[in-house]
Each structure stands twice: as C-alpha cells, then as structure tokens.
Amino acid sequence: MMGDLQLRVPQPWQQPIAPHSRKRSYRDGDVLFHEGDPSDGVYIVLSGRLKVYAAGGNGDEVVYTVLGPGELLGEVSLFGGPRTASVRAIGAVECLVLRNSAAQDLMRTRPEFAAHVFAKLASRVRHSIRMTRSLALDGVPERVSALLEACAVHDGQALRVPAELTQQEIANRIGASREMVLKVIGKLVKQGFLHKDARHRMTILKPLAGAR
C-alpha cells in the first residue's frame, strides 16, 4: 500500500547536496513543521522515521505516510505555496535541509535530480488516488489487513507487525475509529490469521487476504 512512496535519494547525490544544506536533529515527538507553514526547504531523511499527517481541530489525525532514511520530504512546496501536511518525528531523527533556492538550482543543473523529484510527485499522486479509492470502496477490514501486511517485517521465520503500529495508529492511517480497528483485529485473532502475545505484539500467521 505504501510501496510507491519508497523513493530514496541515491547516496551519491547526498555529497553535492551537502554544501548547500544543514543537518538538523529531532527528538521523538518533535514537529518539523505544521500544515500551512511557509516552506523553508526540502528535507532528506538521514536516520529515523517521520510521520506525515493532518490534524483536525478535535485532535484526530489522518496519517498520509511514514518516511524513512534516504527519503525526500517537502518537494511539493518547491513549486510554491505553504506546507500541505504536518510532519512529526518518530523516535530520534536526523535530516539534511536543503534550501528551496538550492534545490531549484539542482533541478536546473542536474536533470537526474529533477527526474527524481518529479517521480516522487507522481508517486504521491498515485498514492492519493489509491487512498481515495480504498476509503470509498474498501471496508475497514480490508484497509486494516492491507496496512498490517504492508508494514509487517520478517523476524526469522515470523512476520511481525511493528510494535509502534498501535490500534490508534492503525486507525489514524486508514481513516477509521479505534473501536472498529479493535473489532477487526479481534476477529483476525479469533480466525487464526493473527497472534497477539501477552505484550499485545502481533504476528501474521497466514496471508490476511483470506480473511477479507
């Protein structure tokens, strides 16, 4: 579900970018910027993970995606306008921040960098279309299953759901209530598709598509 967004900035490009950028460090929970803020540049994630989200006036959140090392953030603002989403650090994070003017110069002088930025923008459009389609046509069980499978990681022979993907986080990322997510996960456990241990860690036992 999130695969198209994993467009990383190749390591060789980070060297020419470095003289025009500055490194910033963030602690868990730090907000890099809010939706509507003026843009101060493009971010390249060096380490850690960033949550890209929108927040409602009642405190609810919708999570658009989570970005990891090597990924580009903030390229939409290169073409004018304020920030289109808020971004928060998940754990300790380090980023390179490239000024908008420097990024625009790189796009003019290095076609491969411009191609990467446009590929990233195209991936965001595809991702937005899939999210809209899923919200309109898929039920909560389908959205929960798709997210769990997209985020699960291999741990030896086991396929584990990351501990930070809590029920509230799942709800935020698929546009559902926590209560509905709890109900779906309980059903998956009962049917033998998921296992939850005493610490509420989840392991996928068999493909979740069979439960949909």
Side-chain angles (χ1 to χ4, degrees):
M1 190 162 84
M2 301 295 179
D4 273 358
L5 291 181
Q6 308 305 311
L7 288 173
R8 303 182 186 282
V9 177
Q11 187 67 30
W13 296 3
Q14 295 182 24
Q15 186 173 355
I17 287 173
H20 308 285
S21 62
R22 58 193 182 278
K23 185 183 291 188
R24 289 183 181 173
S25 299
Y26 304 92
R27 296 174 296 182
D28 182 39
D30 283 352
V31 175
L32 281 66
F33 50 78
H34 290 96
E35 181 180 356
D37 285 351
S39 172
D40 61 343
V42 176
Y43 291 64
I44 298 170
V45 186
L46 298 178
S47 63
R49 296 184 307 138
L50 296 172
K51 177 194 296 187
V52 184
Y53 68 98
N58 59 357
D60 289 343
E61 289 184 0
V62 173
V63 179
Y64 297 133
T65 190
V66 175
L67 303 178
E71 294 185 80
L72 193 67
L73 171 69
E75 72 286 349
V76 173
S77 299
L78 280 174
F79 303 94
R83 296 294 189 188
T84 56
S86 301
V87 176
R88 181 186 300 133
I90 304 174
V93 176
E94 281 195 340
C95 295
L96 283 179
V97 184
L98 182 65
R99 298 187 311 276
N100 282 340
S101 58
Q104 291 162 355
D105 287 342
L106 279 172
M107 290 181 66
R108 285 191 290 267
T109 58
R110 290 181 174 264
E112 68 276 16
F113 181 76
H116 182 83
V117 171
F118 288 125
K120 181 71 170 179
L121 290 170
S123 77
R124 288 194 184 281
V125 173
R126 289 193 295 269
H127 179 65
S128 296
I129 291 171
R130 284 199 306 274
M131 284 185 66
T132 302
R133 182 188 184 282
S134 180
L135 287 169
L137 301 178
D138 294 338
V140 174
E142 289 80 10
R143 302 206 300 272
V144 169
S145 296
L147 181 62
L148 292 178
E149 290 187 324
C151 295
V153 295
H154 287 279
D155 181 10
Q157 298 297 316
L159 190 59
R160 302 194 188 281
V161 177
E164 60 268 20
L165 199 62
T166 63
Q167 292 169 1
Q168 185 61 61
E169 184 70 13
I170 293 169
N172 291 345
R173 291 180 66 168
I174 67 168
S177 68
R178 183 179 179 278
E179 291 72 22
M180 280 298 300
V181 170
L182 178 62
K183 182 178 179 180
V184 170
I185 289 176
K187 184 177 179 180
L188 291 173
V189 171
K190 185 176 181 180
Q191 292 178 336
F193 289 92
L194 279 181
H195 171 72
K196 287 181 72 175
D197 64 18
R199 297 171 61 184
H200 301 287
R201 295 175 300 186
M202 292 185 287
T203 302
I204 297 176
L205 301 178
K206 51 187 178 180
L208 300 181
R212 299 174 194 173

